[in-house]
Amino acid sequence: MKKLFLMAFVAVLALASLSAEGKNYVIDLGDTTNGKVVSIGKNQYGPNYQNTNPPTFTKFFSGNMPTPGDTIEVHFKFVSNVDLPSLTMAVIDNSESAKYWLAISNQYESVSDIKANVPFEGVLTYKVVAKPVSAVTVQLMYDDPIRSKITLQKAGFKTGLK
């Protein structure tokens, strides 16, 4: 009887530890719902350069938004029309209800040495620290005074819950 109770207790602990772990989400930048070409220009609110219309993925998360403790993998494949020394990405909610900037993750991850007209691909992983109010977007930005157009392509992943 003690052995059966011990096995049941261990099983309950194992299930509790699994449920305590966050969920994993995936964003493929090529799945954006607001156009495959991202223009980056001077940020009117700060000193950097950022996308004028960030890639949006809200429809893939409706009814199942990420929450603190979850992770989001951002898979990307893109071509820039100019050389870029670096490109920084952040996962945010840019909706009006979130006052146009809510960091879903407080991480800013960068990739470097992007050559003009050469496909560039990879993956960045973000830890979710805030639940989106109503939108999931990926902000693209850099500090250099360069105006660019980045054409997003499918990286081969399905956006949504992994």
Side-chain angles (χ1 to χ4, degrees), residues 7-138:
M7 286 176 31
F9 182 72
V10 169
V12 167
L13 284 178
L15 284 173
S17 70
L18 284 176
S19 64
E21 293 179 18
K23 293 181 265 179
N24 296 310
Y25 293 85
V26 172
I27 291 175
D28 184 325
L29 286 186
D31 285 336
T32 180
T33 58
N34 63 341
K36 302 290 188 217
V37 178
V38 177
S39 296
I40 298 183
K42 180 73 176 95
N43 176 0
Q44 63 181 338
Y45 302 107
N48 68 336
Y49 288 72
Q50 66 183 24
N51 48 234
T52 55
N53 194 20
T56 301
F57 307 93
T58 307
K59 82 170 195 171
F60 297 99
F61 298 100
S62 61
N64 195 13
M65 291 287 206
T67 58
D70 294 343
T71 58
I72 299 174
E73 294 175 6
V74 176
H75 294 263
F76 56 88
K77 182 176 181 182
F78 61 80
V79 175
S80 174
N81 67 329
V82 297
D83 287 350
L84 297 174
S86 69
L87 178 67
T88 300
M89 296 183 213
V91 181
I92 68 166
D93 179 340
N94 75 329
S95 66
E96 181 179 1
S97 55
K99 298 193 181 356
Y100 303 103
W101 189 277
L102 170 68
I104 295 171
S105 173
N106 58 5
Q107 293 170 238
Y108 291 75
E109 299 292 336
S110 298
V111 294
S112 302
D113 199 26
I114 300 158
K115 299 298 180 199
N117 304 313
V118 176
F120 192 90
E121 59 186 296
V123 63
L124 299 171
T125 302
Y126 297 85
K127 189 76 168 175
V128 175
V129 297
K131 184 174 181 167
V133 177
S134 62
V136 177
T137 60
V138 177

